[in-house]
Amino acid sequence: MPNTRTIVKKVNGFFLLIGELSHFAKKFFVEMWKPPYEFKELLHQCYNVGNRSLPLVGITGFIIGLVLTLQTRPTLQEFGAVSWMPAMVGISIVREIGPVIIALTCAGRIASGIGAELGSMRVTEQIDAMEVSGTNPFKFLVVTRIMATTLMLPVLVIFGDVLALYGSFLIENMKGNVSFLLYFNQVFDALDFSDLLPAIIKTFFFGFAIGLVGCFKGYYCARGTVGVGAAANTAVVLASMLIFVLDFIAVLISDIFYEL
């Protein structure tokens, strides 16, 4: 059993981490509006974050649709409610499963990549060299990456949701001989604007959290190769935890609005 001193030390470390991360986020919002604006680097990072994540996100989304339909269909058959399958899968994927699982997948790829990249730059003193030469490394390295993840994650989630629904359709087509038009008509009939809007909005926050944590851990990486590995590892863990916390807050707010 850990003693009281160890528990207090861990609690203090947790709150210290929250404070440092909040200060880092504040610095991002301050630097984001200051010229010069690194549009070229932003586009480059959008390509790295978005285009290079498409295969992983596409495969993940497609398998989500296949597995969810295969696992749910036998249960609905027992109750004679197979006709509800497109509506149920559509609402589940668009509202919750698609955004969260794809965000977690991106956290594993993007947050670790950013943490390792900036960490290696810190260890090899490239960031220090940028500061000495008069360049603002925070503006060039951090702001562009956080903005890229914030902008690209909603696009990746929409792409993954579409492939997830298509994977679900394939199972329904093979098992129940459901046509493409009938399946997607039932999906879109079940979805409302109030389902789409909160799901899209929270993906911006997911992307911001992934970029913020990855940049924070990499930018303040400890010296040595061990520090780079620790930065990449802790970036994934912390980003995943933040995604769950943000998702809980988003669902809580959405539930309040539904009741109103």
Side-chain angles (χ1 to χ4, degrees), residues 84-225:
W84 292 0
M85 175 66 71
M88 190 214 69
V89 171
I91 293 174
S92 301
I93 289 175
V94 171
R95 272 193 188 179
E96 192 64 26
I97 296 176
V100 172
I101 293 183
I102 291 172
L104 291 174
T105 304
C106 291
R109 182 200 176 278
I110 298 170
S112 61
I114 293 176
E117 183 183 12
L118 295 187
S120 63
M121 293 181 70
R122 174 65 73 182
V123 168
T124 56
E125 299 182 350
Q126 295 180 50
I127 296 178
D128 298 333
M130 292 177 68
E131 292 174 346
V132 171
S133 65
T135 307
N136 186 350
F138 192 93
K139 182 84 173 179
F140 186 80
L141 299 175
V142 175
V143 173
T144 54
R145 283 165 172 79
I146 295 178
M147 290 183 67
T149 55
T150 305
L151 295 173
M152 286 295 103
L153 193 69
V155 178
L156 292 173
V157 168
I158 293 172
F159 177 72
D161 286 350
V162 170
L163 287 183
L165 292 174
Y166 183 72
S168 176
F169 155 71
L170 290 180
I171 298 299
E172 278 297 287
N173 182 258
M174 289 186 291
K175 296 281 188 178
N177 198 25
V178 177
S179 68
F180 181 89
L181 188 61
L182 175 61
Y183 181 87
F184 281 95
N185 277 339
Q186 291 182 359
V187 168
F188 290 118
D189 284 343
L191 290 172
D192 293 326
F193 186 73
S194 59
D195 297 320
L196 296 173
L197 188 61
I200 297 300
I201 290 175
K202 68 182 179 181
T203 57
F204 285 98
F205 291 95
F206 291 167
F208 176 76
I210 291 170
L212 181 72
V213 171
C215 290
F216 172 74
K217 287 296 182 180
Y219 199 77
Y220 296 116
C221 171
R223 299 291 180 180
T225 54

